[in-house]
Amino acid sequence: MVKENEVSAASLEWRVNMPSGSSQILVPESRQTCRLLSLVMGFVSNITKFLDKAWNLAVNEPKKVIHCLKVGLALSIVSLFYYMRPLYDGVGGNAMWAVMTVVVVFEYTVGSTLYKCVNRAIGTCLAGSLGIGVHWVASQSGDRFEPIILQASVFLLAATATFSRFIPTIKARFDYGAMIFILTFSLVSVSGYRVDKLVELAHERVSTIAIGATICLFITMILCPVWAGTELHHLISTNLQKLADSLEGYAAENFRVDGSKNLDEKDSSKRLQGYRCVLNSKAAEESMANFARWEPAHGKFNFRHPWKQYLKIGASMRSCAYCIETLHGGINSNTETPEFLKKPLNDVCMRLGTSSSNVLKELSSMIKTLTNSTKLDILVDEMNSSVEGLQNALKTLPSYQHIPTPDPKTEEAPTGTEESILKPTALSLMEIVQMATLTSLLIEIASRIEGIVKEVNELASQAQFKDDSSKKSKQTQTKLNENDGNEHEVTMTTLQKV
């Protein structure tokens, strides 16, 4: 028997009494269909967004797509040791170690791949040798003491290797090798207790690991290599340019004179936010510098290139970026500096922002081209003279004297004249403090840029940057040769006419 249930404003439900006495609520099929369609459409929308992001990533950074293809190629080559019978018989059943080595070792840059390959080779060989030695000592001590010696060796060596990973110098360069040492020694010690041919087992595993590491190194260094040193070099140069754009954008935004042409909002926001890339690049710089030290000489960089100096430049840039971040906060603050205070300082502040930005751009060009700059000293002198001009302009501002408030003990209320003078005076003082803070930050940025200049000059000295004079002399010689050739052609033409 079907009975009508309560009718709500949201939906219409029917209750059916089953023979057993239980009841079941039936939802209209239209509602179920709508829910199913909404779930399907949401799933399709998420998949579409994911594919769009993946496509944009592939278009913007094609090196990552090439890296994926290189990993697939390496795994395809190493899997031949399973598919081809002669290769499988040569390495035995441990061919899977070669596949695992490729999966674990193959990284994006050449330096990171070399780092893992060398650490894995050192850790495997050292742990295998110690494992075989400990196994021989334990086997000579008898069946009673053999498991005790093996367990004690695993405990001591694993604890020692784990502690070494907390030492900064070892953690920076051999952290992965210490982990592989613990893994390999534990496997050799545990498996050696039940395996008779331990030396053959260790030899097969070392050979397969060597095969996998060799394939990784060959592919990552031959096919479209991505060098960690080059990436670090490009990152520092780009960050200097972004820092210069942020500083220049700030000067144009905050010290713009009334009636001047406004900047494009998107371009201005992009330039102002460039300093954040500098603040967020510390981890990437340290990682790239660590991997770059493992790489051989490549391109313009020698084997002993001073990669650590790039970290000092990055630290100096971040100290400057913090000041720019404070300036950016001043742009968005609720307190605005009135025009009658900004006008006397607009020109000198714009000049200081432009000269400071030019110094950063010149430093970026120096690092990018690995050449010494002949204009850097001139630009630094211009920046220092702009700082002096700003300091002199601050001294010429009119002084405002604040009238003290009445003593609460005497409770003497100020007269009408005093009250009318007191309020504008206090407001003027707050406005002066706001303007003085911004200008002092500009002066502090200039002093920190000098620190960046010092670190870049140190890099130029250690890396032996080339001089611009050699380039200019070559260009001048080329022009002179062209002029001589043109004069010779003109002379020959004149003689033929005569």
Side-chain angles (χ1 to χ4, degrees):
M1 179 178 180
V2 181
K3 296 181 180 180
E4 184 178 359
N5 199 7
E6 297 180 356
V7 180
S8 61
S11 61
L12 181 63
E13 298 179 351
W14 297 89
R15 187 178 299 276
V16 180
N17 293 329
M18 305 301 292
S20 60
S22 61
S23 62
Q24 181 178 2
I25 297 175
L26 298 179
V27 181
E29 294 183 359
S30 59
R31 287 181 59 188
Q32 293 180 349
T33 305
C34 291
R35 289 180 180 178
L36 182 61
L37 287 176
S38 63
L39 290 175
V40 172
M41 293 299 294
F43 179 75
V44 172
S45 176
N46 292 333
I47 293 296
T48 304
K49 291 179 181 178
F50 173 77
L51 292 177
D52 290 339
K53 291 180 180 179
W55 176 259
N56 293 331
L57 177 63
V59 171
N60 296 330
E61 300 184 26
K63 290 182 180 180
K64 294 184 177 180
V65 179
I66 296 174
H67 171 69
C68 299
L69 299 177
K70 285 158 55 174
V71 173
L73 177 62
L75 288 173
S76 300
I77 293 175
V78 79
S79 62
L80 295 176
F81 287 90
Y82 260 100
Y83 298 144
M84 300 181 68
R85 191 67 185 181
L87 296 176
Y88 181 81
D89 294 337
V91 297
N94 293 306
M96 183 57 67
W97 285 91
V99 178
M100 292 176 60
T101 301
V102 172
V103 173
V104 173
V105 164
F106 209 117
E107 294 291 340
Y108 178 65
T109 60
V110 177
S112 56
T113 305
L114 273 169
Y115 161 77
K116 283 199 167 184
C117 286
V118 174
N119 275 266
R120 190 174 182 85
I122 294 174
T124 301
C125 294
L126 185 60
S129 303
L130 286 176
I132 293 173
V134 170
H135 176 73
W136 181 84
V137 173
S139 62
Q140 297 297 319
S141 61
D143 297 337
R144 183 178 180 181
F145 294 99
E146 182 178 0
I148 298 175
I149 294 175
L150 290 177
Q151 289 297 319
S153 64
V154 170
F155 172 78
L156 291 175
L157 290 176
T160 304
T162 303
F163 178 77
S164 68
R165 298 179 67 184
F166 293 104
I167 301 174
T169 54
I170 295 178
K171 183 176 179 61
R173 307 200 70 176
F174 301 104
D175 183 68
Y176 182 70
M179 184 182 65
I180 294 298
F181 173 85
I182 298 171
L183 175 63
T184 305
F185 183 81
S186 302
L187 290 176
V188 171
S189 299
V190 173
S191 61
Y193 185 69
R194 299 294 181 183
V195 178
D196 296 331
K197 299 180 180 180
L198 183 60
V199 177
E200 294 182 4
L201 177 64
H203 178 266
E204 290 177 354
R205 290 186 179 180
V206 169
S207 61
T208 51
I209 290 173
I211 290 171
T214 303
I215 292 174
C216 291
L217 290 176
F218 180 80
I219 292 178
T220 192
M221 295 180 69
I222 299 301
L223 300 178
C224 301
V226 179
W227 302 97
T230 304
E231 294 292 318
L232 175 62
H233 183 82
H234 178 70
L235 177 64
I236 294 296
S237 176
T238 305
N239 283 346
L240 279 170
Q241 183 66 39
K242 291 180 179 178
L243 203 64
D245 292 339
S246 296
L247 184 57
E248 188 177 12
Y250 164 76
E253 182 73 17
N254 205 46
F255 295 103
R256 185 174 56 238
V257 184
D258 288 343
S260 61
K261 184 178 180 181
N262 293 333
L263 297 174
D264 184 23
E265 292 184 0
K266 294 183 179 179
D267 182 61
S268 176
S269 176
K270 184 177 180 181
R271 294 172 67 186
L272 287 173
Q273 298 297 327
Y275 68 90
R276 292 189 177 180
C277 298
V278 181
L279 296 176
N280 299 328
S281 63
K282 181 180 180 181
E285 291 172 4
E286 292 178 351
S287 177
M288 290 178 184
N290 183 31
F291 294 145
R293 287 182 288 179
W294 291 89
E295 293 177 346
H298 59 277
K300 301 178 181 179
F301 310 107
N302 298 324
F303 180 72
R304 303 295 295 178
H305 193 76
W307 300 114
K308 288 185 178 180
Q309 188 63 27
Y310 286 90
L311 298 180
K312 296 180 181 179
I313 296 174
S316 299
M317 284 194 297
R318 277 187 293 276
S319 67
C320 183
Y322 286 125
C323 287
I324 297 179
E325 185 179 26
T326 308
L327 288 178
H328 182 66
I331 295 176
N332 300 326
S333 63
N334 295 327
T335 305
E336 294 184 0
T337 306
E339 291 297 327
F340 75 89
L341 283 177
K342 290 175 67 175
K343 282 183 179 180
L345 301 176
N346 267 333
D347 293 337
V348 288
C349 288
M350 281 291 296
R351 192 181 305 115
L352 178 56
T354 303
S355 60
S356 302
S357 176
N358 291 335
V359 172
L360 291 174
K361 291 179 181 179
E362 188 65 22
L363 293 175
S364 175
S365 177
M366 276 183 61
I367 295 178
K368 185 177 182 179
T369 58
L370 292 175
T371 55
N372 290 313
S373 175
T374 56
K375 300 186 297 182
L376 182 61
D377 293 336
I378 300 174
L379 294 175
V380 171
D381 291 339
E382 290 180 359
M383 182 180 69
N384 292 331
S385 63
S386 300
V387 170
E388 293 178 0
L390 178 57
Q391 291 174 346
N392 294 330
L394 288 173
K395 295 177 182 179
T396 60
L397 286 176
S399 60
Y400 293 83
Q401 184 177 2
H402 179 64
I403 301 175
T405 57
D407 190 0
K409 294 182 179 180
T410 59
E411 295 183 354
E412 294 180 358
T415 61
T417 307
E418 290 177 340
E419 186 176 0
S420 62
I421 298 174
L422 177 61
K423 290 182 179 178
T425 305
L427 181 61
S428 300
L429 285 173
M430 294 301 297
E431 293 169 349
I432 290 176
V433 168
Q434 175 72 11
M435 191 65 185
T437 302
L438 297 179
T439 52
S440 63
L441 282 173
L442 280 176
I443 296 173
E444 179 63 22
I445 287 174
S447 66
R448 297 191 181 191
I449 289 176
E450 289 184 353
I452 301 176
V453 172
K454 180 181 177 181
E455 298 297 342
V456 173
N457 287 332
E458 182 65 22
L459 174 65
S461 176
Q462 295 180 10
Q464 298 179 356
F465 282 8
K466 297 179 181 178
D467 295 332
D468 280 342
S469 57
S470 60
K471 273 189 172 183
K472 291 182 178 180
S473 62
K474 289 180 180 180
Q475 294 176 357
T476 305
Q477 186 65 30
T478 304
K479 290 181 180 180
L480 289 175
N481 293 334
E482 291 177 356
N483 293 333
D484 291 341
N486 294 333
E487 291 177 358
H488 180 69
E489 290 178 358
V490 171
T491 304
M492 293 298 295
T493 305
T494 305
L495 291 173
Q496 288 176 359
K497 289 181 179 180
V498 173

